[in-house]
């Protein structure tokens, strides 16, 4: 037989695209359209319905960037269409086919009822099936003219990412607003051909099934009347029916499909636009659920549900009904799909707490899995936190984006730093926006790593990132692929059902231990430094406000614990931990608003804390320590006077000088406090740091605090990525404008270094040594005006460290300092929270920070045989896409070098730097709310129980990485104690002896205690 593949494939493609698709709508009549441009921000429906509308013609430009245009559409169904399936078809002038980053609209009835959204891949609104001839149709359509930020494939910066710079030139040209008859035979023929053609092209060249489909399609095309597509569609479908009816192989891979619509809570659009995106997508989804009884939709992010509840009550009611029917599956159990690395441990706990509680309260559903398809790597505390929140499974997709190493599993047990394991799955379809194309189905089978041991995977289907969700076309594909020879089999089912089957099928799945590091998007640890600083500050201010509010509630009879305010502030911080806000990968508008929100949060938390402290009475000046450890350090009063104080952990003490330690001396450029001696070179770097406690040991192998400015242009995704070649081109900032003494107080000595460089940038650093402390602080003020640059601060230390340790949520991880394998080499930029530690037996050094997350650790062997291990903090970047002004302007932060540090020291000083002592006029309290004994037992949170019972909730963890035993004692009469889950639900009774709670922790274990107060009902 002659090879006619090319002829047939090209014939089918042309007839399908040029004749069949255009015939899906058999007849149409135009709407009469009027328009009203809303001024400024979006307006409520009531205001839009009362606005003055003007006639509007098709092919007219409309829509300034970030604008809202309301269209009134009026039409009448022709009498001769009675009994047919009639739909409205609206094309706003869509560009490309991505629903999420361009024009979108929500169609309302004139009474305000939202019907359905329209976007490039979902342009219809059903009228009736069958239609009533002569029916009047009247819509109000809210159309958003969001700019296409992805235009030109992120090739260059654009001013469109902020309403302040985007201009007002119309972006779109309205193409179509019609009433039309859907020819269901042609519609289904279109899907038949799509599925068969795509399957054919994925099958092997010598696969008989490929040739069977090819010839069936060729014969079917012979039956297609080019002058009467609609009239011949049934015959063509009948010809194709036999090849569509052949069942899949018995061993065919099973794809569990679940509807999905990934909606970034902010990214290439601001939060205000996401609120509208949720209404559009959720309207589409509930409409689709009415049409397809077998449809199931999985949706995460409690925050987005809350937006719909508050702003679109009718859509909210439809969601509630879909949940009851089992077609809508709340999943994820987090407030938002947060970044997986940067939020602090308590913040991750609160993400789970607030998310789970929302779904329980509003739907009676307790979610059972963590749904994080798109975050940029996942810290190794997640398994324990997920289990403590009552979850059984974990899902992500993003690790499939690895730049270097292919992750070896798709279904596995993920083991966290404490030993907790959770059943985990990566969909081998390698997308969370599946549409059941032939290529996707083939990829899922080809890619699946568990062949021979398991045969089942998950595919979240539906258009996403900017929303959109599943469409009827995707559902029709799924139906055809349910049992089709040559393809994997598709089953629509709830994610819980998939995970139950997958675990039963593969109970002895392999184990992956430690973090899920994404070998891509490493710059998200640094980009948009002010956003990251706002998060870090907010987390610690929330901790402090809760602690002192609890203290005041226990000791001040007239004080009312601010439950509602703290809940609201936590949710604001949790929202901004979304995986395109906190990582710094959003447009300028998003980060401008984030910085303003963090400022408001800080102001309100300061007021709450001040109120709580004041409620304890005024009886002199006291110092408050919100950290978990006792501290003896130098503080400054409001008048700027330095004092040395001793304050218990989570408690307070009078502002009276304690026994003064050895004073600080400043001699030239040398700072000495009897513990360390720091020499600052003429160029402002550190030429020497000697640890006097260790016999004068020199800490540095080379000049320390070396500021290095790298050229930074990644191959793609500017705000997300830093590629390894950034290291190859750099400038060391060694020219100092000035190096001068800043303080010579006996309790505090400092030297100030000022540098100017680049395009008008300036750095002022104050290097400070305080009495009684080996910590060296670098208070940094940067006026940053660089572009496509990356600034790091390096500390080359004379230590042979086989690994570094970096703090993560509720613990730390160790990473090799060598690059023996490609996995280690790929970790050339990593994340950590408050500290990084390196050490050799008997000696260690920590680098501590108050707001940055990215760093790298490397080592070299010197000619003298010694080893230099270098820790470099990533301070600030200057990407131009998607925000051309990213990081420009003022930055203020502090980092520190801690010589002679153990892991315990790093933990303690990490808290100390991030929770500065507070000096205030207050009577204080006789003792802390809680205190603990036992090395490694660390208090992370102290608060009143969320149920307003008056119980005190304390979250502890083991912070060293070893076993710990201790006793927790209370500053109030204790009536009993329970161990609870994260949601403060009892798990077991805690052991109480002699008025204290006995605590025994495994390495990195998290423990939540609920403490009942005597005399409180």
């Amino acid at each position: 037989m002659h090879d006619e593949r090319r002829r047939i494939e090209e014939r089918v493609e042309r007839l399908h695209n040029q004749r069949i698709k255009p015939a899906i709508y058999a007849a149409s009549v135009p709407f009469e359209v009027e328009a009203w441009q809303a001024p400024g921000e979006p307006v409520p429906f009531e205001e839009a319905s009362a606005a003055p509308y003007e006639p509007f013609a098709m092919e007219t430009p409309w829509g300034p960037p970030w604008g809202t245009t309301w269209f009134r559409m009026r039409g009448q169904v022709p009498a001769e269409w009675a009994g047919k399936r009639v739909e409205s078809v609206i094309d706003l002038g869509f560009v490309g086919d991505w629903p999420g980053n361009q024009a979108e609209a929500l169609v309302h009835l004139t009474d305000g009822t939202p019907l359905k959204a329209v976007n490039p891949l979902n342009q219809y609104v059903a009228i009736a099936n069958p239609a009533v001839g002569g029916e009047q149709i009247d819509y109000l359509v809210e159309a958003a003219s969001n700019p296409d930020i992805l235009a030109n494939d992120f090739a260059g910066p654009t001013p469109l990412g902020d309403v302040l710079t985007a201009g007002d030139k119309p972006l779109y040209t309205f193409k179509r607003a019609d009433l039309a008859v859907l020819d269901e035979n042609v519609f289904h023929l279109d899907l038949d051909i799509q599925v068969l053609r795509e399957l054919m092209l994925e099958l092997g060249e010598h696969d008989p099934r490929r040739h069977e489909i090819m010839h069936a399609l060729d014969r079917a095309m012979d039956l297609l009347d080019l002058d009467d597509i609609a009239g011949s569609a049934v015959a063509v479908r009948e010809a194709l029916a036999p090849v569509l009816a052949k069942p899949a192989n018995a061993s065919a891979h099973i794809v569990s499909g679940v509807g999905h619509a990934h909606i970034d809570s902010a990214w290439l659009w601001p939060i205000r636009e996401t609120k509208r995106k949720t209404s559009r997508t959720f309207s589409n989804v509930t409409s689709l659920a009415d049409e397809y009884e077998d449809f199931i939709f999985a949706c995460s992010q409690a925050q987005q549900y809350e937006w719909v509840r508050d702003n679109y009550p009718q859509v909210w009611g439809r969601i509630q009904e879909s949940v009851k029917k089992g077609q809508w599956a709340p999943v994820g159990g987090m407030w938002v799909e947060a970044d997986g690395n940067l939020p602090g441990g308590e913040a991750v706990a609160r993400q789970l707490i607030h998310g789970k509680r929302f779904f329980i309260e509003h739907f009676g559903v307790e979610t059972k899995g963590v749904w994080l398809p798109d975050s940029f790597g996942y810290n190794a505390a997640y398994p324990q936190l997920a289990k403590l929140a009552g979850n059984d499974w974990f899902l992500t997709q993003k690790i499939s984006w690895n730049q270097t190493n292919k992750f070896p599993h798709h279904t596995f047990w993920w083991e966290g730093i404490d030993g907790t394991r959770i059943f985990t799955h990566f969909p081998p379809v390698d997308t969370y926006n599946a549409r059941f194309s032939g290529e996707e189905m083939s990829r899922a089978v080809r890619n699946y790593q568990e062949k021979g041991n398991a045969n089942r995977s998950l595919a979240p289907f539906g258009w996403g990132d900017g929303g959109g969700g599943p469409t009827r076309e995707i559902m029709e594909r799924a139906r055809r692929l349910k049992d089709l020879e040559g393809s994997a089999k598709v089953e629509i089912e709830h994610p819980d059902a998939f995970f139950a089957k997958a675990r039963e099928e593969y109970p002895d799945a392999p184990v992956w231990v430690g973090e899920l590091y994404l070998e891509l998007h490493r710059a998200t640890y640094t980009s948009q430094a002010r956003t990251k600083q706002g998060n870090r500050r907010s987390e610690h201010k929330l901790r402090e406000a809760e602690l002192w509010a609890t203290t005041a509630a226990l000791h001040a009879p007239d004080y009312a614990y601010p439950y509602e305010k703290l809940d609201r502030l936590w949710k604001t911080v949790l929202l901004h931990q979304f995986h395109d806000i906190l990582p710094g990968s959003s447009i300028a508008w998003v980060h401008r608003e984030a910085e303003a929100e963090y400022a408001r949060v800080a102001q309100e938390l300061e007021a709450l804390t001040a109120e709580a402290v004041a409620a304890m009475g005024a009886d002199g000046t006291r110092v408050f320590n919100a950290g978990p450890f006792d501290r003896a350090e130098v503080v400054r009063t409001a008048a700027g006077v330095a004092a040395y104080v001793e304050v218990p952990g989570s408690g307070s003490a009078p502002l009276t000088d304690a026994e003064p330690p050895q004073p600080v001396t400043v001699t030239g450029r040398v700072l000495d406090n009897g513990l360390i001696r720091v020499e600052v070179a003429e160029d402002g770097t550190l030429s020497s740091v000697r640890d006097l406690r260790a016999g004068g040991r020199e800490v540095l192998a080379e000049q320390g605090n070396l500021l290095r400015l790298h050229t930074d242009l990644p191959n793609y995704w500017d705000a997300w990525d830093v590629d390894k070649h950034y290291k190859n081109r750099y400038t060391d900032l060694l020219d100092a404008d000035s190096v001068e003494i800043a303080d010579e107080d006996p309790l505090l000595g400092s030297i100030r270094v000022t540098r100017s460089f680049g395009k008008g940038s300036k750095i002022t650093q104050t290097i400070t040594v305080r009495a009684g402390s080996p910590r060296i602080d670098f208070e940094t003020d940067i006026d940053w005006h660089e572009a496509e640059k990356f600034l790091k601060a390096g500390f080359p230390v004379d230590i042979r460290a086989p690994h570094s340790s970096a703090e993560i949520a509720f613990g730390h991880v160790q990473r090799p300092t060598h690059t023996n394998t490609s996995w280690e080499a790929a970790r050339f930029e990593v994340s950590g929270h408050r500290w990084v530690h390196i050490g050799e037996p008997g000696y260690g050094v920590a680098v501590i920070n108050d707001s940055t997350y990215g760093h790298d650790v490397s080592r070299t062997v010197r000619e003298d045989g010694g080893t230099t291990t270098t820790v470099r903090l990533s301070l600030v970047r200057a990407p131009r896409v998607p925000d051309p002004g990213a990081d420009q302007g003022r930055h203020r932060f502090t980092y520190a070098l801690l010589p002679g540090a153990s892991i315990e020291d790093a933990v303690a000083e990490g808290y100390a730097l991030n929770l500065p002592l507070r000096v205030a006029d207050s009577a204080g309290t006789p003792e802390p709310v809680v205190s603990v004994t036992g090395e490694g037992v660390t208090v992370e949170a102290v608060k009143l129980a969320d149920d307003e019972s008056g119980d005190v909730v304390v979250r502890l963890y083991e912070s060293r990485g070893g076993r710990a035993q201790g006793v927790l004692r209370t500053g109030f009469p204790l009536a009993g104690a329970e161990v609870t889950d994260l949601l403060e639900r009892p798990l077991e009774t805690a052991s109480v002896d002699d008025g204290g709670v006995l605590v025994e922790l495994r390495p990195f274990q998290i423990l939540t205690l609920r403490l009942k107060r005597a005399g409180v009902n």
Side-chain angles (χ1 to χ4, degrees):
M1 180 180 290
H2 301 298
D3 185 354
E4 293 197 281
R5 284 177 300 165
R6 181 174 176 180
R7 176 191 64 80
I8 296 172
E9 290 170 4
E10 291 176 350
R11 180 193 190 197
V12 172
E13 180 180 18
R14 181 175 187 186
L15 289 176
H16 174 241
N17 292 339
Q18 296 182 11
R19 298 303 174 92
I20 295 172
K21 275 188 174 298
I24 290 176
Y25 286 104
S28 65
V29 294
F31 275 106
E32 177 186 322
V33 181
E34 297 176 306
W36 172 68
Q37 175 67 48
E41 287 297 283
V43 301
F45 176 86
E46 293 74 18
E47 182 177 341
S49 64
Y53 286 75
E54 297 180 354
F56 183 89
M58 294 299 98
E59 299 298 329
T60 298
W62 71 278
W66 306 113
T68 301
T69 305
W70 285 81
F71 295 98
R72 185 182 295 280
M73 299 183 183
R74 293 187 177 98
Q76 183 175 23
V77 178
E80 61 269 24
W81 289 4
K84 297 181 179 180
R85 181 160 182 166
V86 179
E87 297 179 345
S88 303
V89 182
I90 301 169
D91 183 346
L92 300 171
F94 301 119
V95 294
D97 61 0
W98 184 36
N101 191 41
Q102 58 167 297
E104 302 175 72
L106 181 61
V107 179
H108 303 76
L109 294 177
T110 54
D111 65 0
T113 302
L115 288 180
K116 186 177 170 294
V118 291
N119 62 51
L121 296 163
N122 205 337
Q123 298 182 18
Y124 75 96
V125 179
I127 300 297
N129 188 18
V132 177
E135 181 180 359
Q136 295 289 329
I137 307 300
D138 196 349
Y139 292 148
L140 276 176
V141 179
E142 181 190 27
S145 49
N146 300 328
D148 181 10
I149 305 296
L150 278 178
N152 301 320
D153 207 21
F154 272 176
T158 173
L160 292 173
D162 196 330
V163 69
L164 301 181
T165 58
D168 59 3
K169 182 180 178 181
L171 296 175
Y172 300 99
T173 300
F174 212 121
K175 294 296 184 184
R176 181 181 187 186
D178 293 339
L179 286 166
V181 175
L182 178 73
D183 189 318
E184 295 189 69
N185 289 322
V186 179
F187 170 79
H188 284 289
L189 174 59
D190 169 60
L191 271 299
D192 291 346
I193 293 174
Q194 283 188 48
V195 169
L196 286 172
R197 178 174 173 272
E198 290 175 2
L199 171 60
M200 172 187 72
L201 294 176
E202 291 297 322
L203 293 171
E205 181 181 342
H206 303 293
D207 191 320
R209 175 65 166 163
R210 174 170 181 152
H211 292 265
E212 178 188 34
I213 294 172
M214 179 181 68
H215 287 290
L217 285 167
D218 193 31
R219 290 190 295 270
M221 293 303 98
D222 290 339
L223 301 175
L224 186 69
D225 186 341
L226 301 186
D227 297 318
D228 187 11
I229 301 294
S232 58
V234 171
V236 178
R237 292 199 70 204
E238 289 175 350
L240 294 175
V243 286
L244 280 167
K246 284 200 170 184
N249 297 329
S251 59
H253 183 74
I254 300 170
V255 173
S256 295
V258 60
H260 187 229
H262 189 68
I263 306 177
D264 287 319
S265 289
W267 179 30
L268 305 178
W269 47 85
I271 287 173
R272 70 91 148 143
E273 194 57 33
T274 311
K275 295 176 182 179
R276 300 201 293 179
K277 284 178 175 290
T278 56
S279 69
R280 298 177 198 129
T281 294
F282 295 172
S283 296
N284 285 354
V285 169
T286 52
S287 296
L288 195 65
D290 291 339
E291 192 171 352
Y292 291 87
E293 292 183 357
D294 53 337
F295 174 59
I296 297 176
F297 179 72
C299 185
S300 67
Q301 304 197 79
Q303 171 69 87
Q304 295 184 2
Y305 287 77
E306 185 175 80
W307 285 334
V308 173
R309 182 199 67 188
D310 294 346
N311 298 300
Y312 299 89
Q314 292 161 306
V315 179
W316 171 250
R318 285 152 59 179
I319 292 172
Q320 290 181 307
E321 287 302 312
S322 291
V323 172
K324 290 177 184 176
K325 291 191 296 184
Q327 289 188 280
W328 186 297
V331 294
M334 295 178 71
W335 192 247
V336 296
E337 290 183 12
D339 180 82
N341 290 308
L342 307 182
E346 188 60 24
V348 180
R350 301 300 175 99
Q351 288 281 359
L352 292 161
I353 291 165
H354 285 293
K356 295 267 287 192
R357 281 208 184 119
F358 185 93
F359 295 134
I360 292 170
E361 176 183 351
H362 293 286
F363 302 116
V365 172
E366 179 162 358
T367 56
K368 290 299 181 183
V370 176
W371 183 279
L372 283 177
D374 192 32
S375 297
F376 310 144
Y378 306 90
N379 78 75
Y382 258 113
Q384 183 181 191
L385 285 163
K387 296 290 281 188
L388 287 173
N391 292 296
D392 298 325
W393 53 262
F394 188 97
L395 176 134
T396 183
Q397 177 64 66
K398 203 70 172 190
I399 302 298
S400 67
W401 285 39
N402 270 6
Q403 195 176 45
T404 305
N405 298 285
K406 182 178 175 62
F407 195 81
H409 313 298
H410 282 107
T411 301
F412 60 99
W413 290 95
W414 181 19
E415 181 179 313
I417 52 174
D418 72 308
T420 300
R421 292 179 178 178
I422 191 165
F423 197 71
T424 302
H425 181 68
F426 291 165
V429 70
D430 277 0
T431 180
Y432 47 81
N433 297 324
R435 59 184 185 89
F436 295 131
S437 69
E439 190 277 332
E440 287 174 348
M441 299 297 286
S442 177
R443 184 197 319 140
V445 175
R446 183 175 63 250
N447 197 28
Y448 188 56
Q449 301 278 70
E450 320 307 325
K451 296 182 185 74
N453 293 303
N455 196 36
R456 182 182 299 273
S457 68
L458 186 71
F461 65 87
W463 303 103
D465 286 332
T471 62
R472 61 186 178 188
E473 289 81 6
I474 300 177
M475 281 300 298
E476 291 294 338
R477 286 171 172 271
R479 287 181 167 183
R480 287 161 174 78
L481 293 169
K482 184 175 182 178
D483 191 14
L484 181 63
E485 183 187 355
S487 173
K489 296 190 290 187
V490 173
E491 295 180 357
I492 307 296
E493 61 181 350
H494 194 293
D496 286 350
F498 161 76
F499 274 95
K501 293 175 182 176
R503 184 168 175 174
E504 181 181 8
E505 177 185 56
Y506 202 18
D508 58 344
V511 177
W512 180 269
V513 179
E515 66 182 328
L516 295 175
Y517 176 85
L518 177 63
E519 296 174 0
L520 198 71
H521 292 0
R522 304 167 181 90
T524 58
Y525 314 144
T526 308
S527 295
Q528 299 284 3
R530 284 183 294 268
T531 297
K532 291 174 170 57
Q533 185 176 73
N535 175 73
R536 180 77 69 83
R537 296 282 192 274
S538 297
E539 289 179 348
H540 289 82
K541 286 183 180 295
L542 279 162
R543 172 201 176 97
E544 189 175 11
E546 286 184 336
L547 173 63
W548 302 133
T550 303
T551 307
L554 297 181
H555 296 283
D558 296 331
Y559 177 80
Y561 189 86
Y563 291 100
E564 184 279 329
K565 290 180 180 178
L566 287 170
D567 180 82
R568 173 173 47 79
L569 290 166
W570 260 116
K571 287 175 179 174
T572 299
V573 174
L574 298 180
L575 164 60
H576 288 85
Q577 291 177 339
F578 179 75
H579 64 253
D580 275 307
I581 303 178
L582 182 53
S585 48
S586 291
I587 56 174
W589 191 348
V590 172
H591 291 288
R592 173 169 57 82
E593 290 193 329
E595 291 174 32
E597 279 294 287
Y598 284 130
R600 284 190 285 270
V601 167
Q603 184 178 26
E604 193 166 349
L605 286 172
E606 279 295 319
L608 287 178
T609 299
E611 181 183 353
V613 169
M616 300 176 205
D619 186 23
T621 303
R622 297 182 69 87
V623 181
F624 292 80
N625 173 16
F629 304 109
D630 297 347
R631 287 159 72 173
E633 64 183 66
V634 176
V635 297
R636 283 191 184 272
T637 67
V641 178
Y644 186 78
V645 295
E646 296 178 353
V647 195
S650 305
S652 66
L655 180 61
T656 56
D657 281 344
E659 183 67 27
Q662 183 172 332
V664 178
T665 62
V666 182
T667 307
R669 294 190 305 275
V670 179
L671 305 172
D672 191 325
N673 67 357
L675 303 175
I676 55 169
R677 181 182 298 120
V678 178
E679 296 182 18
V680 179
E682 289 185 10
D683 60 14
T685 61
L686 302 188
S687 57
S688 174
V689 174
R690 291 198 175 271
D691 189 341
L692 304 180
R693 302 164 301 167
R697 172 175 176 152
E698 176 58 59
V699 175
L700 299 177
E702 302 170 23
Q703 59 196 140
N705 193 37
L706 175 63
L707 298 174
R708 179 166 287 179
L709 187 66
H710 293 269
T711 296
D712 179 24
L713 184 65
N715 293 344
Y716 198 56
W717 299 103
D718 292 20
W720 291 258
D721 288 349
V722 55
D723 288 328
K724 188 176 290 187
H725 54 251
Y726 88 91
K727 294 185 177 182
N728 300 336
R729 187 176 180 84
Y730 58 85
T731 300
D732 290 337
L733 303 184
L734 297 175
D735 294 330
D737 299 344
S738 62
V739 179
E740 57 190 6
I741 295 172
D743 287 289
E744 292 187 84
D745 190 290
L747 294 179
L748 182 151
S750 60
I751 293 173
R752 183 172 295 118
V753 181
T754 303
R755 305 180 190 278
S756 300
F757 63 95
K759 298 179 180 179
S761 297
K762 186 174 183 177
I763 300 178
T764 301
Q765 290 195 307
T766 304
I767 305 167
T768 302
V769 171
R770 293 173 174 82
S773 173
R775 198 179 84 198
I776 309 161
D777 288 356
F778 301 85
E779 300 168 54
T780 304
D781 187 324
I782 303 180
D783 188 14
W784 179 251
H785 298 287
E786 304 307 299
E788 296 172 348
K789 294 292 189 291
F790 193 11
L791 182 65
K792 286 192 168 247
F795 292 95
V797 179
D798 189 5
I799 282 179
R800 183 171 176 80
H803 61 259
S804 65
S805 299
E807 187 186 41
I808 63 167
F810 291 111
H812 59 266
V813 291
Q814 294 182 343
R815 301 179 177 110
T817 55
H818 60 73
T819 55
N820 283 354
T821 71
S822 59
W823 293 86
E824 292 144 1
R827 286 175 167 85
F828 60 83
E829 180 78 5
V830 291
S831 66
H833 287 183
R834 291 171 292 210
W835 54 266
V836 182
H837 181 271
I838 55 173
E840 62 188 22
Y843 198 82
V845 170
V847 179
I848 302 164
N849 74 86
D850 72 356
S851 60
T852 191
Y853 296 87
H855 66 275
D856 70 84
V857 182
S858 60
R859 66 174 186 171
T860 58
V861 176
R862 305 187 299 271
E863 291 185 2
D864 64 4
T867 299
T868 300
T869 303
T870 301
V871 177
R872 299 199 311 155
L873 290 184
S874 303
L875 302 182
V876 65
R877 294 185 71 233
R880 303 181 68 206
V881 178
D883 175 6
D887 282 312
Q888 298 299 299
R890 205 71 176 271
H891 301 269
R892 295 183 179 89
F893 51 84
T894 299
Y895 55 90
L897 181 69
L898 186 65
S902 63
I903 291 290
E904 296 93 322
D905 296 329
V907 172
E909 290 298 325
Y911 276 106
L913 184 64
N914 283 269
L915 288 164
L917 296 176
R918 176 180 295 270
V919 180
D921 291 334
S922 175
T925 57
E927 57 183 310
V929 175
V930 295
S931 58
V932 295
T933 61
E935 292 185 359
V937 182
T938 303
V939 176
E940 177 61 17
V942 178
K943 59 189 286 293
L944 290 190
D946 292 338
D947 61 6
E948 302 189 23
S949 63
D951 292 349
V952 176
V953 171
V954 180
R955 193 140 28 244
L956 311 160
Y957 73 106
E958 195 291 312
S959 59
R960 299 178 306 166
R963 295 186 179 275
Q965 291 182 323
V967 177
L968 179 144
R969 300 198 178 278
T970 63
F972 56 89
L974 181 65
E978 293 176 324
V979 176
T980 73
D981 67 5
L982 291 184
L983 278 69
E984 301 172 10
R985 301 176 294 195
L987 298 175
E988 60 185 59
T989 301
S991 298
V992 178
D993 184 46
D994 191 26
V997 182
L998 304 180
V999 176
E1000 185 171 347
L1001 301 175
R1002 66 179 180 270
F1004 299 126
Q1005 182 181 354
I1006 303 165
L1007 181 70
T1008 303
L1009 294 173
R1010 187 176 183 127
L1011 309 175
K1012 298 189 178 298
R1013 298 154 56 195
V1016 178
N1017 293 330

